Amino acid sequence: MKTKKFSLIFILLAASLLLTACSGSMSASSWPGIATDQSTVYAASGGQFWALTPGDGSLVWKYPEKADARKPFYASPTISADGQLLIGDYAQTFYSFDPKTGSVKWTFGDAKGRYIASALATDTTIYAPNADGSLYALDLNGKLLWKFATEKALWSKPALEGNTLYLSSMDHNLYALDATSGKQIWKVDLSGAVLGSAVISPDGKSVFVGTIGKELISVAADSGKIQWRLATSGSIWAQPVVIDQTVYVGNLAGEFIAVDAATGKQTWKVQPGGAILGSALVDGDHLVFTTETGSLVSVGLDGNIQWNHSVGGKLYTTPVKVNDRYVVGLTGADQLLVALDESGNQVWTFTPSK
């Protein structure tokens, strides 16, 4: 019964994020987006965006100076190879920031919906998915190159292999696009909405994606043909992780599973407690993920839980590792961020000023 309750809660949350008007009231329903370039931690939540020193969590800069509830942030920032800090907001604006100063370099305002997903940046192009159902391809100065429209909202970052983009959508489809022109190569109906990004196998031959329809699916990268489907106990929001020949992913039933990439057969599962919405962080010979009940969990590639640390608050996103510290974003707590050492000891917290 608890599993069904968790699934219902987050499906309703997903619906509310899509349908509710863009207002300050929505900031309480989102969770922090976090990124790092190893010299700085960047966090976005509600109507503000912060840059912090990873050693002690001290503030480097914030944008805007005073939080603007009319323009909340939800997506995790993207750091491009040419030194731009990229993020979109709920007010249909996509920003490029100077990561050192927090000053705005340029903005793109053609989208008609919210930015919920992170952008993908290459050496030449920025791919920005929007809840209006379109993927916007921009040059590095924010000029529109092309856009590709799907039938429903885009909540996930595209995946890139060679010159092919793999774009998952809430319209139940996975799309393969030419990364240069935006032309559709193929699409496949997965029979369930996709909130998380696809991931590509190390050999580039398969694409793995989870659905709200409680399935993990393998798709042939060249043709879009479904290779296998695995029914899961809970809906999948997170992006899967692939290591060698194994796919790892969590679900809303609180299970973290390992699946044979070739056959789609589950090899093991752990259930440390609480729904799992974020993707796992690969950290050497183990994976680290968060749970809705506030735990940061480390599990070995063999399925043995190495440690389980209670952080407090609710954890919905992928942890970030900076040097020897894990940084997680909290929801429903006074602190926005907590940093832990590799033994699980709290190193610092960050609470935004009112």
Side-chain angles (χ1 to χ4, degrees), residues 26-43:
M26 278 309 303
S27 62
S29 297
S30 65
W31 41 77
I34 311 171
T36 182
D37 56 11
Q38 296 302 309
S39 64
T40 309
V41 174
Y42 305 99

Side-chain angles (χ1 to χ4, degrees), residues 233-320:
S233 298
S235 299
I236 298 175
W237 189 312
Q239 178 186 26
V241 170
V242 184
I243 303 174
D244 297 326
Q245 295 300 312
T246 305
V247 185
Y248 303 90
V249 72
N251 61 47
L252 298 192
E255 297 176 346
F256 188 81
I257 63 174
V259 179
D260 184 283
T263 65
K265 293 183 178 179
Q266 182 176 301
T267 56
W268 55 256
K269 72 175 180 179
V270 295
Q271 194 164 9
I276 302 168
L277 277 77
S279 183
L281 168 70
V282 180
D283 189 14
D285 61 355
H286 61 287
L287 302 113
V288 182
F289 60 90
T290 61
T291 73
E292 190 265 350
T293 49
S295 289
L296 183 66
V297 182
S298 172
V299 61
L301 301 184
D302 58 0
N304 288 317
I305 293 179
Q306 299 178 340
W307 45 258
N308 184 337
H309 300 309
S310 179
V311 178
K314 298 179 184 297
L315 303 178
Y316 295 125
T317 57
T318 303
V320 168

Side-chain angles (χ1 to χ4, degrees), residues 197-245:
S197 299
V199 67
I200 303 159
S201 63
D203 62 9
K205 294 182 179 180
S206 299
V207 183
F208 305 103
V209 64
T211 77
I212 291 298
K214 300 182 181 181
E215 286 190 304
L216 178 66
I217 301 173
S218 173
V219 176
D222 59 351
S223 66
K225 180 181 178 180
I226 293 178
Q227 299 176 131
W228 52 256
R229 317 175 77 112
L230 173 68
T232 57
S233 298
S235 299
I236 298 175
W237 189 312
Q239 178 186 26
V241 170
V242 184
I243 303 174
D244 297 326
Q245 295 300 312

Side-chain angles (χ1 to χ4, degrees), residues 8 27 68 70 81 97 129 138 145 156 164 184 190 224 231 283 310 312 314 337 354:
L8 179 60
S27 62
D68 187 349
R70 298 169 301 173
F97 290 94
L138 314 175
L145 300 174
S156 60
T164 304
Q184 180 178 304
L190 302 178
D283 189 14
S310 179
K314 298 179 184 297
L337 303 179
K354 298 291 185 179

Side-chain angles (χ1 to χ4, degrees), residues 104-140:
V104 177
K105 300 177 73 171
W106 52 259
T107 62
F108 172 77
D110 289 4
K112 306 302 181 185
R114 306 180 178 102
Y115 287 98
I116 294 172
S118 299
L120 170 69
T122 70
D123 291 342
T124 60
T125 310
I126 299 163
Y127 302 96
N130 190 269
D132 66 6
S134 292
L135 176 67
Y136 294 88
L138 314 175
D139 69 15
L140 299 182

Side-chain angles (χ1 to χ4, degrees), residues 9-40:
I9 287 170
F10 290 106
I11 290 170
L12 290 175
L13 173 59
S16 71
L17 282 166
L18 277 177
L19 300 175
T20 306
C22 197
S23 68
S25 64
M26 278 309 303
S27 62
S29 297
S30 65
W31 41 77
I34 311 171
T36 182
D37 56 11
Q38 296 302 309
S39 64
T40 309

